Amino acid sequence: KIPASALQQHPEILTPLLSDQMSAALEVMNKNQCSGTFILLNATVNPDFEDAEYSRAGIFIKSTHPNPVNTVNSKFNYLRGPAEIARENGIELLGQWKMEFNIQNEPFWNEVISTAQRKSDLPLSRLYYWTDCFRLVGNSEAGVLLCVPIRSENGEILGVCGMEVSDRLFKQRYTPNDSGYRNVFTAFAPFKNQTIHIENGMIAGNYFLTGMRMENSMAITHTKNKMSFYQSEDTAYGGLHSEVKLYPNDSPYREQKWLVSVMMPKDIVTAAMNGKSRYLFVIVFLLLLISLFVSIFISKRYLRPVMEAIDSI
């Protein structure tokens, strides 16, 4: 019986509200291939705190060792939220645990809330938002957040909830299989004006770039034999890419595009393509030699008697 606009005037109910959502949050973790799930409310437990303007009550349950195959019975940890809720549910606090979220300049809050308020006529299925890959304030691991606004029956925005795909889970799930090509990796990143903003995306490779992040965007320079080539400030790459449609046509974020790409350093791609060309050249040359010998054989065995008969006539 408290409207969303008055939630901040009742900080005593925030912890019970969040505690009631733990069963749903744990079910999300068990049924989805994600590395975490979170809920934020548009209020803070301590409105007198120095940075209360940027502090929001919520919970963030995280799997520090996500399993892309079997999510059931994985071990979960507590990254954000009231400690008593974690104790009630037998979840250990992470070393980077904090009581509340810092939302200052964070798109997972500001972008989602402002858009949901402007587009109040749209259903929630059109208001979900994928963030760039980033780190929460005070957190060490980066990830992409899938965010959905929490909306009351009368249309008020109470907060944001969603799931996380961490760098670690992306690497476990999308690292290319071992092959004869060295340094091959998968990239998933925003795309705009023929430029892949890979510094805002995620990468997954075997030993190449493992544990690293790229800091420069890549421009798509040209395409040769269906292979695309990409250029950053200091490195060139080659590979294949395809656009991933994250939003429906009537979404307020429909203009945002992402690409998934499998690529490797350009010199390796060029060497592989040249090696393939030499291989084809050798095959064609051998076929020509075989054709020549076959022609000579046919000439001697079948055409020679005919020619002798013609000569005798």
Side-chain angles (χ1 to χ4, degrees), residues 8-306:
Q8 184 55 78
Q9 281 70 52
H10 300 271
E12 72 279 358
I13 70 169
L14 297 181
T15 297
L17 272 177
L18 293 171
S19 181
D20 288 343
Q21 305 305 313
M22 280 296 291
S23 59
L26 292 172
E27 185 177 6
V28 168
M29 292 291 291
N30 282 319
K31 291 187 175 181
N32 296 275
Q33 293 183 0
C34 61
S35 57
T37 184
F38 60 93
I39 301 169
L40 286 83
L41 298 175
N42 194 12
T44 176
V45 173
N46 187 2
D48 298 324
F49 181 61
E50 181 181 356
D51 293 325
E53 179 184 359
Y54 304 114
S55 185
R56 293 294 182 272
I59 56 176
F60 197 138
I61 304 171
K62 189 171 177 64
S63 177
T64 52
H65 299 284
N67 189 333
V69 178
N70 181 17
T71 58
V72 179
N73 297 325
S74 298
K75 183 179 179 181
F76 303 141
N77 297 95
Y78 205 62
L79 184 62
R80 294 287 186 275
E84 56 265 36
I85 296 180
R87 289 194 294 267
E88 291 171 1
N89 291 271
I91 301 178
E92 296 180 6
L93 301 183
L94 284 171
Q96 298 162 346
W97 168 83
K98 292 183 182 298
M99 176 72 171
E100 294 191 335
F101 291 80
N102 186 328
I103 63 164
Q104 186 175 14
N105 301 322
E106 295 290 14
F108 72 89
W109 176 267
N110 300 318
E111 179 70 27
V112 176
I113 293 294
S114 61
T115 302
Q117 291 172 341
R118 292 196 321 269
K119 303 289 185 178
S120 58
D121 57 318
L122 290 178
L124 291 179
S125 60
R126 296 298 181 268
L127 292 174
Y128 67 84
Y129 174 72
W130 289 91
T131 70
D132 292 347
C133 189
F134 76 104
R135 290 183 177 89
L136 287 174
V137 176
N139 194 26
S140 62
E141 185 178 26
V144 170
L145 299 184
L146 170 60
C147 307
V148 182
I150 305 173
R151 189 163 61 187
S152 66
E153 290 183 352
N154 62 1
E156 290 186 295
I157 304 300
L158 287 84
V160 176
C161 63
M163 295 185 291
E164 178 202 50
V165 178
S166 67
D167 256 344
R168 185 176 308 184
L169 178 60
F170 185 81
K171 285 180 171 63
Q172 290 180 356
R173 186 176 174 91
Y174 295 111
T175 293
N177 295 329
D178 291 333
S179 66
Y181 297 108
R182 297 178 294 110
N183 298 351
V184 61
F185 64 96
T186 304
F188 178 59
F191 173 70
K192 186 176 182 180
N193 297 329
Q194 291 298 105
T195 300
I196 303 175
H197 295 277
I198 202 165
E199 73 278 10
N200 297 326
M202 295 188 288
I203 57 175
N206 291 312
Y207 66 91
F208 181 65
L209 295 174
T210 298
M212 296 175 59
R213 295 190 55 78
M214 292 186 172
E215 297 181 354
N216 299 316
S217 301
M218 291 183 184
I220 302 177
T221 57
H222 65 283
T223 300
K224 179 181 179 182
N225 297 331
K226 297 184 179 180
M227 188 76 69
S228 297
F229 291 88
Y230 319 92
Q231 181 68 52
S232 65
E233 288 187 3
D234 53 0
T235 314
Y237 297 90
L240 302 173
H241 66 261
S242 179
E243 183 176 334
V244 179
K245 187 176 179 63
L246 294 180
Y247 303 105
N249 293 332
D250 53 350
S251 168
Y253 310 109
R254 61 186 176 275
E255 299 299 328
Q256 299 185 17
K257 298 180 180 180
W258 285 64
L259 286 187
V260 61
S261 175
V262 177
M263 60 178 72
M264 65 185 82
K266 182 180 178 180
D267 56 342
I268 300 177
V269 176
T270 303
M273 294 177 69
N274 292 338
K276 186 176 181 180
S277 299
R278 287 193 294 268
Y279 178 72
L280 291 175
F281 176 79
V282 171
I283 291 178
V284 171
F285 181 73
L286 290 176
L287 288 175
L288 287 174
L289 288 179
I290 292 173
S291 299
L292 178 62
F293 285 119
V294 169
S295 298
I296 294 173
F297 174 76
I298 292 175
S299 175
K300 288 184 176 180
R301 183 166 181 175
Y302 296 102
L303 295 180
R304 191 172 183 179
V306 176

